[in-house]
Amino acid sequence: MAKKVILDVDPGIDDALALCMALFDPRLEVVAVTAVGGNVSPQLATRNVRAIVEQLDPPRLPRLGAASEPDQGLPVDSRHLFGVDGLGDAGLEVAELLAPHPSEKIICDEIRAAPEEVTIVALGPLTNIARAFHRDPELPSLVGRIVMMGGTVAGPGNVTPAAEFNIFCDPLSARAVFRSRTTKTLVPLDVTNRLVLGFDVLSQLPEETTRVGRLVRKILPPAFRAFRQESALEGIHVHDSITLVAVTNPELFVTQEMAGDVEVRGELTMGATVFDRRRVPAWRHNMEVAVDMDVHKVAQQILRNLAHAGKSTEGL
């Protein structure tokens, strides 16, 4: 039986790659794709979600949620890596919806429709999830699981020395979700940074004769150029795609129960994820944290998922 999932995303090329895989994975039933501001503004994230889903035209169309402004605004974005439109300046066309529903409403609706059956795959800031929990206080106990890309345990951040991008964008929401009574899995930078997809991946993408191939071959080359220019990296990180694999192939990951929280006020540490790893911890464990993965097999799984998605859209 396919696992019901909500993908909460801030596209972003990496988010788009994860959507390509998820929307054609027979192990997943994507009931909704909700936009959140992060890599790009809320308005652009909403547009990008619609554009990606329209380009891919999956066999089962998910409900789409519109992003709204976070309470504190967005302190940073990723347009230096992903282009002005967040998708490598691909110029994707999209039909505008007249009255899109807010992402937090879509999340509430879908969780209520299938209590304890839906996994939320959070690939951006946690704004929507915190708002959904505030909107419906019973919701945290009705979520099957939240799998989150974000934070660090022992490594440095990627937007400040202490903080990872998704958590830094909205630390107050991240703290609310961390402290909620949901079952949670965190996939941090300590693990996702271990995988770099090299330039050889470009020759292994689905053909341009497929809808998936046309999209990924348009958006991925600019990402490779940006990572090389900005980080001197001969390849790209795909944090969100790795997190999706943690949902479909948890056997490829090693996890550990931990007690985590988020710093929301520090001048140098705002957005840092803090874990009580003392010999005798005082905090109660509140989440499962990925601490290792089989890098080679995860990379293979990403390519296998993309290949399957490509075959699912051949000649269309």
Side-chain angles (χ1 to χ4, degrees):
M1 183 177 177
K3 179 182 295 186
K4 295 179 184 291
V5 297
I6 296 171
L7 298 175
D8 192 58
V9 295
D10 61 332
I13 290 171
D14 188 9
D15 302 76
L17 203 63
L19 282 171
C20 287
M21 296 190 293
L23 289 170
F24 298 95
D25 193 322
R27 296 167 295 179
L28 302 177
E29 180 187 348
V30 182
V31 297
V33 180
T34 50
V36 63
N39 283 316
V40 292
S41 70
Q43 295 77 18
L44 193 48
T46 300
R47 185 187 190 281
N48 285 351
V49 162
R50 294 182 195 143
I52 292 165
V53 173
E54 283 187 21
Q55 291 287 316
L56 296 176
D57 190 21
R60 184 186 186 281
L61 288 174
R63 295 184 70 189
L64 304 182
S68 51
E69 289 288 342
D71 295 336
Q72 307 300 319
L74 282 173
V76 66
D77 62 39
S78 291
R79 285 178 292 180
H80 62 294
L81 284 178
F82 298 142
V84 173
D85 69 353
L87 297 173
D89 297 324
L92 302 181
E93 296 183 359
V94 61
E96 298 294 338
L97 296 179
L98 295 179
H101 291 297
S103 289
E104 58 265 30
K105 180 185 185 303
I106 298 291
I107 291 171
C108 291
D109 288 350
E110 293 302 323
I111 298 297
R112 282 287 182 179
E116 301 180 11
E117 295 181 19
V118 179
T119 297
I120 301 175
V121 187
L123 304 180
L126 296 171
T127 308
N128 291 335
I129 301 168
R131 285 181 174 172
F133 287 175
H134 180 75
R135 180 185 185 121
D136 184 347
E138 293 183 2
L139 206 68
S141 63
L142 301 177
V143 176
R145 178 179 291 270
I146 303 175
V147 181
M148 306 172 284
M149 190 284 122
T152 67
V153 178
N158 62 355
V159 68
T160 73
E164 178 273 332
F165 179 89
N166 285 344
I167 306 298
F168 181 79
C169 278
D170 192 349
L172 288 171
S173 290
R175 169 173 276 192
V177 175
F178 273 38
R179 292 183 174 185
S180 70
R181 60 183 184 275
T182 52
T183 303
K184 299 177 286 291
T185 300
L186 185 74
V187 184
L189 285 181
D190 312 62
V191 169
T192 61
N193 273 341
R194 297 177 192 174
L195 173 57
V196 178
L197 292 183
F199 292 106
D200 61 309
V201 165
L202 293 173
S203 65
Q204 303 176 57
L205 297 174
E207 296 297 328
E208 281 193 271
T209 52
T210 70
R211 294 196 301 274
V212 168
R214 282 195 293 274
L215 178 61
V216 296
R217 287 177 177 272
K218 186 178 291 185
I219 66 176
L220 276 183
F224 277 94
R225 288 194 295 271
F227 272 90
R228 188 172 190 176
Q229 293 168 358
E230 295 285 335
S231 307
L233 195 65
E234 297 297 326
I236 60 172
H237 287 301
V238 286
H239 311 290
D240 297 337
S241 300
I242 292 169
T243 303
L244 183 68
V245 174
V247 175
T248 57
N249 298 85
E251 72 279 1
L252 301 181
F253 294 79
V254 177
T255 61
Q256 182 179 332
E257 291 292 329
M258 292 190 187
D261 205 341
V262 178
E263 176 56 62
V264 298
R265 289 194 300 269
E267 181 180 349
L268 298 177
T269 58
M270 186 179 74
T273 45
V274 181
F275 295 86
D276 191 349
R277 295 182 292 150
R278 293 172 289 182
R279 184 179 297 276
V280 183
W283 301 356
R284 292 182 61 184
H285 291 166
N286 61 349
M287 68 182 68
E288 181 183 79
V289 180
V291 295
D292 199 5
M293 69 178 178
D294 188 320
V295 175
H296 178 65
K297 289 185 178 179
V298 170
Q300 284 184 320
Q301 190 63 50
I302 290 171
L303 293 175
R304 193 176 298 122
N305 290 349
L306 286 172
H308 175 79
K311 288 180 180 179
S312 300
T313 58
E314 281 179 334
L316 299 173

mmCIF file of all heavy atoms in Angstrom, residues 69-91:
data_model
loop_
_atom_site.group_PDB
_atom_site.id
_atom_site.type_symbol
_atom_site.label_atom_id
_atom_site.label_comp_id
_atom_site.label_asym_id
_atom_site.label_seq_id
_atom_site.Cartn_x
_atom_site.Cartn_y
_atom_site.Cartn_z
ATOM 1 N N GLU A 69 3.643 34.866 3.754
ATOM 2 C CA GLU A 69 4.836 35.445 4.364
ATOM 3 C C GLU A 69 5.031 34.927 5.791
ATOM 4 O O GLU A 69 4.083 34.888 6.578
ATOM 5 C CB GLU A 69 4.722 36.968 4.415
ATOM 6 C CG GLU A 69 4.835 37.654 3.070
ATOM 7 C CD GLU A 69 6.238 37.636 2.508
ATOM 8 O OE1 GLU A 69 7.200 37.412 3.284
ATOM 9 O OE2 GLU A 69 6.374 37.831 1.283
ATOM 10 N N PRO A 70 6.259 34.528 6.149
ATOM 11 C CA PRO A 70 6.524 34.185 7.550
ATOM 12 C C PRO A 70 6.432 35.422 8.422
ATOM 13 O O PRO A 70 6.596 36.562 7.943
ATOM 14 C CB PRO A 70 7.951 33.617 7.517
ATOM 15 C CG PRO A 70 8.560 34.180 6.277
ATOM 16 C CD PRO A 70 7.442 34.370 5.295
ATOM 17 N N ASP A 71 6.151 35.236 9.694
ATOM 18 C CA ASP A 71 5.922 36.357 10.598
ATOM 19 C C ASP A 71 7.110 37.304 10.671
ATOM 20 O O ASP A 71 6.943 38.517 10.801
ATOM 21 C CB ASP A 71 5.590 35.837 12.007
ATOM 22 C CG ASP A 71 4.278 35.068 12.038
ATOM 23 O OD1 ASP A 71 3.431 35.309 11.150
ATOM 24 O OD2 ASP A 71 4.109 34.221 12.936
ATOM 25 N N GLN A 72 8.317 36.762 10.608
ATOM 26 C CA GLN A 72 9.517 37.583 10.748
ATOM 27 C C GLN A 72 10.155 37.930 9.409
ATOM 28 O O GLN A 72 11.256 38.481 9.370
ATOM 29 C CB GLN A 72 10.550 36.843 11.624
ATOM 30 C CG GLN A 72 10.022 36.384 12.963
ATOM 31 C CD GLN A 72 9.531 37.536 13.821
ATOM 32 O OE1 GLN A 72 10.156 38.598 13.877
ATOM 33 N NE2 GLN A 72 8.397 37.333 14.490
ATOM 34 N N GLY A 73 9.501 37.600 8.281
ATOM 35 C CA GLY A 73 10.111 37.804 6.971
ATOM 36 C C GLY A 73 11.184 36.759 6.714
ATOM 37 O O GLY A 73 11.538 35.977 7.596
ATOM 38 N N LEU A 74 11.701 36.739 5.484
ATOM 39 C CA LEU A 74 12.759 35.794 5.132
ATOM 40 C C LEU A 74 14.115 36.490 5.238
ATOM 41 O O LEU A 74 14.368 37.466 4.534
ATOM 42 C CB LEU A 74 12.560 35.268 3.712
ATOM 43 C CG LEU A 74 11.500 34.181 3.528
ATOM 44 C CD1 LEU A 74 11.312 33.883 2.047
ATOM 45 C CD2 LEU A 74 11.875 32.922 4.284
ATOM 46 N N PRO A 75 15.017 35.997 6.092
ATOM 47 C CA PRO A 75 16.297 36.665 6.272
ATOM 48 C C PRO A 75 17.290 36.420 5.151
ATOM 49 O O PRO A 75 18.288 37.130 5.042
ATOM 50 C CB PRO A 75 16.810 36.064 7.595
ATOM 51 C CG PRO A 75 16.209 34.698 7.635
ATOM 52 C CD PRO A 75 14.863 34.837 6.993
ATOM 53 N N VAL A 76 17.045 35.413 4.308
ATOM 54 C CA VAL A 76 18.018 35.029 3.277
ATOM 55 C C VAL A 76 17.283 34.210 2.235
ATOM 56 O O VAL A 76 16.201 33.681 2.482
ATOM 57 C CB VAL A 76 19.173 34.196 3.908
ATOM 58 C CG1 VAL A 76 18.668 32.868 4.425
ATOM 59 C CG2 VAL A 76 20.326 34.007 2.937
ATOM 60 N N ASP A 77 17.837 34.159 1.011
ATOM 61 C CA ASP A 77 17.292 33.251 0.001
ATOM 62 C C ASP A 77 18.461 32.615 -0.744
ATOM 63 O O ASP A 77 19.624 32.879 -0.448
ATOM 64 C CB ASP A 77 16.311 33.961 -0.941
ATOM 65 C CG ASP A 77 16.974 35.077 -1.746
ATOM 66 O OD1 ASP A 77 18.129 34.887 -2.183
ATOM 67 O OD2 ASP A 77 16.333 36.117 -1.960
ATOM 68 N N SER A 78 18.144 31.770 -1.721
ATOM 69 C CA SER A 78 19.190 30.998 -2.412
ATOM 70 C C SER A 78 19.250 31.317 -3.896
ATOM 71 O O SER A 78 19.668 30.484 -4.699
ATOM 72 C CB SER A 78 18.949 29.497 -2.209
ATOM 73 O OG SER A 78 19.177 29.133 -0.880
ATOM 74 N N ARG A 79 18.845 32.527 -4.276
ATOM 75 C CA ARG A 79 18.853 32.845 -5.705
ATOM 76 C C ARG A 79 20.257 32.890 -6.291
ATOM 77 O O ARG A 79 20.434 32.740 -7.498
ATOM 78 C CB ARG A 79 18.118 34.171 -5.942
ATOM 79 C CG ARG A 79 16.599 34.027 -5.839
ATOM 80 C CD ARG A 79 15.889 35.332 -6.022
ATOM 81 N NE ARG A 79 16.146 36.239 -4.907
ATOM 82 C CZ ARG A 79 15.643 37.465 -4.814
ATOM 83 N NH1 ARG A 79 14.879 37.928 -5.776
ATOM 84 N NH2 ARG A 79 15.906 38.205 -3.777
ATOM 85 N N HIS A 80 21.280 33.080 -5.433
ATOM 86 C CA HIS A 80 22.653 33.056 -5.942
ATOM 87 C C HIS A 80 23.036 31.661 -6.415
ATOM 88 O O HIS A 80 23.936 31.504 -7.246
ATOM 89 C CB HIS A 80 23.631 33.529 -4.866
ATOM 90 C CG HIS A 80 23.680 32.679 -3.639
ATOM 91 N ND1 HIS A 80 22.606 32.555 -2.773
ATOM 92 C CD2 HIS A 80 24.649 31.867 -3.144
ATOM 93 C CE1 HIS A 80 22.921 31.729 -1.791
ATOM 94 N NE2 HIS A 80 24.151 31.293 -1.999
ATOM 95 N N LEU A 81 22.356 30.627 -5.895
ATOM 96 C CA LEU A 81 22.616 29.258 -6.331
ATOM 97 C C LEU A 81 21.616 28.785 -7.376
ATOM 98 O O LEU A 81 21.982 28.050 -8.299
ATOM 99 C CB LEU A 81 22.566 28.292 -5.133
ATOM 100 C CG LEU A 81 23.754 28.284 -4.176
ATOM 101 C CD1 LEU A 81 23.492 27.314 -3.037
ATOM 102 C CD2 LEU A 81 25.046 27.893 -4.904
ATOM 103 N N PHE A 82 20.354 29.195 -7.237
ATOM 104 C CA PHE A 82 19.297 28.601 -8.044
ATOM 105 C C PHE A 82 18.701 29.543 -9.080
ATOM 106 O O PHE A 82 17.728 29.185 -9.743
ATOM 107 C CB PHE A 82 18.180 28.081 -7.133
ATOM 108 C CG PHE A 82 18.628 26.991 -6.190
ATOM 109 C CD1 PHE A 82 18.147 26.932 -4.900
ATOM 110 C CD2 PHE A 82 19.529 26.033 -6.605
ATOM 111 C CE1 PHE A 82 18.557 25.916 -4.035
ATOM 112 C CE2 PHE A 82 19.950 25.016 -5.760
ATOM 113 C CZ PHE A 82 19.465 24.960 -4.465
ATOM 114 N N GLY A 83 19.278 30.740 -9.256
ATOM 115 C CA GLY A 83 18.767 31.664 -10.249
ATOM 116 C C GLY A 83 17.650 32.537 -9.697
ATOM 117 O O GLY A 83 17.085 32.275 -8.638
ATOM 118 N N VAL A 84 17.317 33.580 -10.448
ATOM 119 C CA VAL A 84 16.316 34.548 -9.997
ATOM 120 C C VAL A 84 14.970 33.877 -9.763
ATOM 121 O O VAL A 84 14.246 34.208 -8.821
ATOM 122 C CB VAL A 84 16.182 35.691 -11.026
ATOM 123 C CG1 VAL A 84 15.024 36.616 -10.655
ATOM 124 C CG2 VAL A 84 17.483 36.488 -11.094
ATOM 125 N N ASP A 85 14.620 32.905 -10.600
ATOM 126 C CA ASP A 85 13.327 32.236 -10.433
ATOM 127 C C ASP A 85 13.414 31.007 -9.535
ATOM 128 O O ASP A 85 12.407 30.333 -9.307
ATOM 129 C CB ASP A 85 12.728 31.855 -11.789
ATOM 130 C CG ASP A 85 13.498 30.748 -12.492
ATOM 131 O OD1 ASP A 85 14.578 30.354 -12.007
ATOM 132 O OD2 ASP A 85 13.015 30.277 -13.543
ATOM 133 N N GLY A 86 14.605 30.700 -9.016
ATOM 134 C CA GLY A 86 14.776 29.543 -8.154
ATOM 135 C C GLY A 86 14.950 28.237 -8.890
ATOM 136 O O GLY A 86 15.298 27.218 -8.296
ATOM 137 N N LEU A 87 14.734 28.240 -10.206
ATOM 138 C CA LEU A 87 14.806 27.019 -11.010
ATOM 139 C C LEU A 87 15.783 27.177 -12.174
ATOM 140 O O LEU A 87 15.529 26.727 -13.297
ATOM 141 C CB LEU A 87 13.407 26.646 -11.531
ATOM 142 C CG LEU A 87 12.364 26.311 -10.462
ATOM 143 C CD1 LEU A 87 10.987 26.118 -11.092
ATOM 144 C CD2 LEU A 87 12.773 25.063 -9.678
ATOM 145 N N GLY A 88 16.913 27.826 -11.892
ATOM 146 C CA GLY A 88 17.932 27.986 -12.927
ATOM 147 C C GLY A 88 17.504 28.900 -14.050
ATOM 148 O O GLY A 88 18.019 28.805 -15.167
ATOM 149 N N ASP A 89 16.555 29.811 -13.754
ATOM 150 C CA ASP A 89 16.012 30.731 -14.765
ATOM 151 C C ASP A 89 15.483 29.967 -15.972
ATOM 152 O O ASP A 89 15.714 30.326 -17.126
ATOM 153 C CB ASP A 89 17.068 31.768 -15.178
ATOM 154 C CG ASP A 89 17.479 32.654 -14.011
ATOM 155 O OD1 ASP A 89 16.601 32.979 -13.184
ATOM 156 O OD2 ASP A 89 18.662 33.009 -13.908
ATOM 157 N N ALA A 90 14.747 28.886 -15.676
ATOM 158 C CA ALA A 90 14.216 28.026 -16.730
ATOM 159 C C ALA A 90 13.037 28.658 -17.471
ATOM 160 O O ALA A 90 12.692 28.233 -18.563
ATOM 161 C CB ALA A 90 13.785 26.686 -16.142
ATOM 162 N N GLY A 91 12.394 29.644 -16.859
ATOM 163 C CA GLY A 91 11.279 30.321 -17.520
ATOM 164 C C GLY A 91 10.070 29.430 -17.742
ATOM 165 O O GLY A 91 9.431 29.499 -18.789
#
